[in-house]
Amino acid sequence: MVHYVTVATCALNQWALDFQGNYERIRESILQAKAGGARLRIGPELEIPGYGCQDHFLESDTTLHSWEVLARLLQDRSLDGVLIDTGMPVLHRNSRYNCRVVILDGRILLIRPKMHLANDGNYREPRWFAEWARVASTEDYVLPRFIADITGQKTVPFGDALISTEDSCVGIELCEELFTPQSPHIAMSLDGAEIIVNSSGSHHELRKLGRRIELIREATLKCGGVYLYANQKGCDGDRVYYDGSAMVLANGEILAMGTQFSISDVEVTLATVDLGAVRAFRAGMSSRSTQAARSSVRYPRVVAGISLSAQQAQFDFSVRPTRPLAPRLHPPAEEIALGPACWLWDYVRRSSLGGFFLPLSGGIDSCATAVVVHSMCRLVVDACGRGDAQALADVGRVCGESGFVPATAQELASRIFCTSFMGTANSTAETRARARALAAAIGSYHIDVDMDAVVAAIVGLFALVMGQTPRYAVHGGTSAENLALQNIQARLRMLLAYLFAALVPWVRQAGGRPLLVLASANVDESLRGYFTKYDCSSADLNPIGSISKADLRGFIAFARDSMGLDVLGGFLDAVPSAELVPFSEDYKQSDEDEMGMSYDELGVYGRLRKIKKCGPYSMFAQLLHEWPGVGPREIADKVKRFFFYYAVNRHKMTTLTPAYHAEAYSPDDNRFDLRQFLYNAQWTWQFGKIDDAVERLERRSGVVIEE
């Protein structure tokens, strides 16, 4: 028998500690859900204070203000008639918990603390919260007095319980709990929970969404039932971008799915599901029925005085169930086009600055950063064209012109994006021309600068003080001289970038606000340490800082074809070069030659080091099997070369520009890749093990070992 229920799940662009803005977005999402006929609405994890508060969770103010926002929601009679699941920190018996708070018609039904905390990668939840360890158990929570005055309740249930409505049963699990081997939804579904809700604070990584979808799909395919997944979206003040994708699944099928990347602040995803189909699906699995009958876990049930379905819906032919759909998964190149673009827009509109400044070198990395900004402008212009009030207001504020509506991405870029080619005598005409052509194609305000006079002044000052003039290696100088001369150019670009970012708006527009400076170092160069400390890699933000060279090339090819930017073909064909030394017929500077390893090899090393947890010896052993055409001694040399340069350059990670997190092997020192920055770069014990293994392998194969 059909039993239709309309449910709503949300993706909200919350901002850490923005209690007023967070409240308004939560309220708007509830009103949209109610207008869509939903009687159950769930929102993202910790949506009241924002998921990314980090050590602010340790402050009593954060908990107090969260209760104050909840008080507003409880007092708002326009929200009645909807079972609301929201999130905030709660202090219970002097321990702080990451909680879901379920409310209905101005009363609190249940406070459900998180039972399995995320503690890897970018997540450090045990630093701020305790785990609730008592499965299927609750105890009384004494409400703050000002909340008790509103609800008329002195205590409410606190713990692990199900919500019993008049026509169904709802279970709650939080984010990380879905990813654990013994997820709560299993026992809940065996105990009769027909709807499982999951509120998450899950960030974007390239190629990650498919795994998330499969976990939820598998949960409902194996257990039966309806699964609502909510997630935060946007940049809430840190390096990660929460990628939305709120969805509703039933019995292994996706019924509704929100966007993964969007600049809208509130997105509500609705679906009409058939609980009758859930009951038939479960009853048709005899093994499931047997396990349910034998299950020793029996949850306390909190009664909610609401029916999730309208009484007449069974025979109301206007009610239409939501039909299954295929998941929408962006290819990695499109993820790069959209995720960092949304992240940058959130940052610039919330920072109250006037746009971005980018040193545009004519190479593929700064080209990629520029194209990300172009993609951002395209998204904003599309939103303005749809009449998005928030986007229109943000554009007016960032551009300093209320009522301004850009017609094209190029028109918007001309107001908020400044690029500059900072050339020297070592720069080629080709790179200068590529930078100029790209700036024209995307509409940025472009400045062509020659820095030779500034470089000569610095070198001249050194010669005046020390009595000697450094020379490049091609002119007979030592490696120390050669490196110092390159670093002068690189570091001057950082100084000039900040000078122009501060004063170009002043020149172009009275009262113009400074620009955010963008960097363009990719994840592979950071891993190897192939950049100058405090050069153009030092900036305010880096949208490509944890994206590999290979993925960036794929992104540029995608942008060339999908955005009509034919100029990008020249960047794909160019050999990567820093252009910091004089070229000659016999020598042309190449990044891969100088690094002593290819970008593809760096991607392999990075994944083995971080994702596979390999040190030097285990990486060597792994590559013996993965690179069968390469001899043991060559593999040993490659591994030792990588770990030597990784070790001597690790200190550079401590000053790495905040970068959009996109890759699981990012070496970001902030909190994702926690390691020391002073190493014994000789790796005496580890390299000795590798050398011993090489000798054994060569003796086994009959290779003569030279002493």
Side-chain angles (χ1 to χ4, degrees):
M1 184 175 72
V2 297
H3 190 150
Y4 292 131
V5 171
T6 299
V7 294
T9 178
C10 306
L12 305 183
N13 196 336
Q14 303 298 72
W15 189 8
L17 300 179
D18 179 23
F19 290 97
Q20 181 63 36
N22 292 349
Y23 159 72
E24 292 170 359
R25 287 181 283 271
I26 292 168
R27 183 176 184 275
E28 174 62 23
S29 72
I30 298 169
L31 292 175
Q32 287 188 24
K34 186 174 181 178
R39 299 190 181 184
L40 170 62
R41 174 269 181 202
I42 72 166
E45 186 174 9
L46 292 165
E47 63 179 333
I48 289 179
Y51 182 83
C53 293
Q54 300 185 47
D55 278 3
H56 287 293
F57 283 124
L58 304 177
E59 300 166 3
S60 59
D61 281 9
T62 304
T63 304
L64 170 64
H65 298 327
S66 296
W67 278 113
E68 290 168 343
V69 170
L70 185 70
R72 283 199 186 182
L73 297 173
L74 289 165
Q75 291 172 305
D76 192 338
R77 298 283 65 81
S78 68
L79 308 182
D80 286 355
V82 180
L83 186 62
I84 300 167
D85 177 0
T86 189
M88 57 181 273
V90 175
L91 198 66
H92 178 54
R93 298 186 180 178
N94 299 325
S95 293
R96 186 182 303 99
Y97 295 92
N98 172 353
C99 293
R100 304 306 298 170
V101 182
V102 183
I103 64 177
L104 174 65
D105 298 347
R107 292 174 62 84
I108 298 174
L109 301 183
L110 172 68
I111 301 176
R112 200 286 200 175
K114 193 170 185 177
M115 303 179 71
H116 304 288
L117 300 177
N119 191 30
D120 57 7
N122 284 300
Y123 297 102
R124 294 290 178 270
E125 290 179 6
R127 180 180 174 94
W128 312 302
F129 302 110
E131 287 186 340
W132 180 256
R134 297 167 56 187
V135 177
S137 177
T138 64
E139 56 194 35
D140 286 342
Y141 176 82
V142 179
L143 291 172
R145 282 179 290 182
F146 73 100
I147 297 293
D149 290 341
I150 295 169
T151 66
Q153 304 163 283
K154 291 189 180 298
T155 63
V156 295
F158 183 100
D160 188 22
L162 304 180
I163 302 291
S164 254
T165 68
E166 294 172 359
D167 55 350
S168 190
C169 185
V170 180
I172 301 170
E173 66 180 8
L174 276 79
C175 196
E176 178 72 9
E177 296 172 359
L178 168 66
F179 294 83
T180 60
Q182 197 170 350
S183 300
H185 70 258
I186 299 172
M188 289 177 179
S189 64
L190 290 175
D191 197 29
E194 296 175 331
I195 301 172
I196 303 294
V197 298
N198 184 318
S199 299
S200 287
S202 186
H203 64 73
H204 172 241
E205 270 182 10
L206 295 175
R207 307 171 181 88
K208 176 183 174 183
L209 179 59
R211 175 170 174 250
R212 193 188 302 161
I213 293 173
E214 280 306 303
L215 280 170
I216 302 173
R217 193 190 70 82
E218 190 65 28
T220 63
L221 185 62
K222 185 168 63 175
C223 298
V226 177
Y227 202 104
L228 275 66
Y229 174 84
N231 193 20
Q232 190 160 307
K233 65 187 300 190
C235 166
D236 77 341
D238 200 6
R239 292 160 172 81
V240 297
Y241 176 84
Y242 301 95
D243 59 342
S245 306
M247 62 188 95
V248 180
L249 293 88
N251 297 341
E253 295 181 310
I254 300 174
L255 300 183
M257 183 174 175
T259 59
Q260 186 178 11
F261 306 107
S262 167
I263 65 168
S264 64
D265 280 350
V266 177
E267 184 177 8
V268 178
T269 299
L270 295 159
T272 299
V273 300
D274 182 8
L275 294 182
V278 170
R279 293 158 189 165
F281 184 91
R282 287 181 172 179
M285 293 189 295
S286 61
S287 58
R288 183 262 169 205
S289 298
T290 300
Q291 287 191 349
R294 292 176 177 174
S295 176
S296 60
V297 182
R298 289 291 180 260
Y299 286 85
R301 300 201 177 203
V302 177
V303 175
I306 187 173
S307 173
L308 299 182
S309 59
Q311 190 170 2
Q312 70 277 14
Q314 181 180 348
F315 299 107
D316 183 354
F317 301 142
S318 66
V319 177
R320 294 285 184 269
T322 305
R323 298 299 180 190
L325 52 82
R328 294 188 297 272
L329 294 175
H330 299 283
E334 192 172 22
E335 290 185 84
I336 296 170
L338 297 174
C342 294
W343 183 73
L344 284 180
W345 181 244
D346 276 347
Y347 204 104
V348 72
R349 71 190 180 103
R350 287 174 167 171
S351 68
S352 299
L353 293 177
F356 300 106
F357 181 93
L358 172 67
L360 189 58
S361 70
I364 200 165
D365 291 332
S366 62
C367 163
T369 297
V371 176
V372 166
V373 177
H374 175 64
S375 178
M376 179 201 79
C377 291
R378 287 163 57 99
L379 291 172
V380 173
V381 169
D382 286 347
C384 291
R386 296 192 304 270
D388 186 311
Q390 185 65 59
L392 289 165
D394 289 335
V395 165
R397 190 163 48 251
V398 173
C399 294
E401 184 180 341
S402 179
F404 169 61
V405 182
T408 66
Q410 286 78 5
E411 184 181 11
L412 178 59
S414 70
R415 304 287 190 98
I416 68 170
F417 189 28
C418 179
T419 54
S420 176
F421 182 83
M422 301 180 183
T424 68
N426 300 320
S427 304
T428 63
E430 291 81 6
T431 54
R432 189 184 297 267
R434 281 199 302 270
R436 187 185 304 114
L438 177 58
I442 63 177
S444 66
Y445 179 78
H446 189 64
I447 303 168
D448 202 315
V449 178
D450 282 314
M451 304 194 314
D452 288 321
V454 187
V455 174
I458 298 293
V459 175
L461 175 64
F462 178 86
L464 178 66
V465 172
M466 300 303 297
Q468 295 191 60
T469 301
R471 296 174 297 168
Y472 289 104
V474 296
H475 297 152
T478 64
S479 59
E481 294 171 74
N482 194 62
L483 183 60
L485 288 172
Q486 293 183 68
N487 287 344
I488 289 171
Q489 300 164 69
R491 290 182 171 127
L492 280 174
R493 286 177 175 139
M494 183 199 73
L495 293 174
L496 289 175
Y498 275 98
L499 173 66
F500 280 92
L503 294 183
V504 165
W506 166 70
V507 172
R508 295 187 69 198
Q509 177 184 355
R513 286 167 295 169
L515 307 176
L516 290 160
V517 179
L518 298 180
S520 299
N522 63 63
V523 69
D524 297 324
E525 291 169 350
S526 296
L527 182 66
R528 162 64 170 72
Y530 184 68
F531 63 90
T532 300
K533 203 173 184 180
Y534 303 119
D535 69 346
C536 282
S537 63
S538 295
D540 297 311
L541 298 170
N542 185 351
I544 67 164
S546 71
I547 302 175
S548 71
K549 194 79 161 187
D551 279 336
L552 287 175
R553 291 184 61 82
F555 162 58
I556 293 302
F558 167 83
R560 176 196 58 195
D561 299 336
S562 65
M563 300 181 189
L565 296 174
D566 294 336
V567 68
L568 297 181
F571 289 86
L572 288 169
D573 297 335
V575 176
S577 171
E579 294 191 345
L580 293 173
V581 298
F583 282 24
S584 68
E585 291 185 4
D586 300 327
Y587 176 76
K588 294 197 182 305
Q589 191 175 30
S590 162
D591 289 352
E592 291 188 332
D593 288 343
E594 286 202 337
M595 289 191 298
M597 57 197 75
S598 71
Y599 283 108
D600 287 341
E601 287 173 341
L602 275 168
V604 173
Y605 302 148
R607 289 178 175 86
L608 289 176
R609 180 197 71 99
K610 177 67 177 175
I611 301 173
K612 299 292 187 180
K613 315 296 190 296
C614 288
Y617 182 67
S618 53
M619 183 181 292
F620 164 75
Q622 185 89 11
L623 290 176
L624 286 174
H625 299 278
E626 292 191 11
W627 290 350
V630 184
R633 187 165 293 278
E634 184 178 354
I635 291 175
D637 290 343
K638 287 176 177 289
V639 169
K640 289 192 285 186
R641 184 183 303 116
F642 164 71
F643 272 99
F644 171 78
Y645 283 109
Y646 162 78
V648 298
N649 289 315
R650 179 67 189 182
H651 66 95
K652 296 180 180 180
M653 296 303 96
T654 63
T655 62
L656 204 63
T657 295
Y660 178 98
H661 178 85
E663 182 57 74
Y665 72 89
S666 169
D668 175 24
D669 187 65
N670 173 58
R671 75 170 189 267
F672 182 74
D673 191 42
L674 305 181
R675 302 164 197 255
Q676 75 265 35
F677 55 86
L678 176 62
Y679 280 86
N680 177 356
Q682 304 307 312
W683 301 87
T684 311
W685 188 283
Q686 297 93 326
F687 286 2
K689 289 275 291 182
I690 293 175
D691 292 339
D692 290 344
V694 170
E695 290 186 11
R696 289 197 305 271
L697 290 168
E698 289 181 339
R699 286 195 183 96
R700 186 189 306 168
S701 60
V703 175
V704 177
I705 303 172
E706 296 183 2
E707 295 295 334

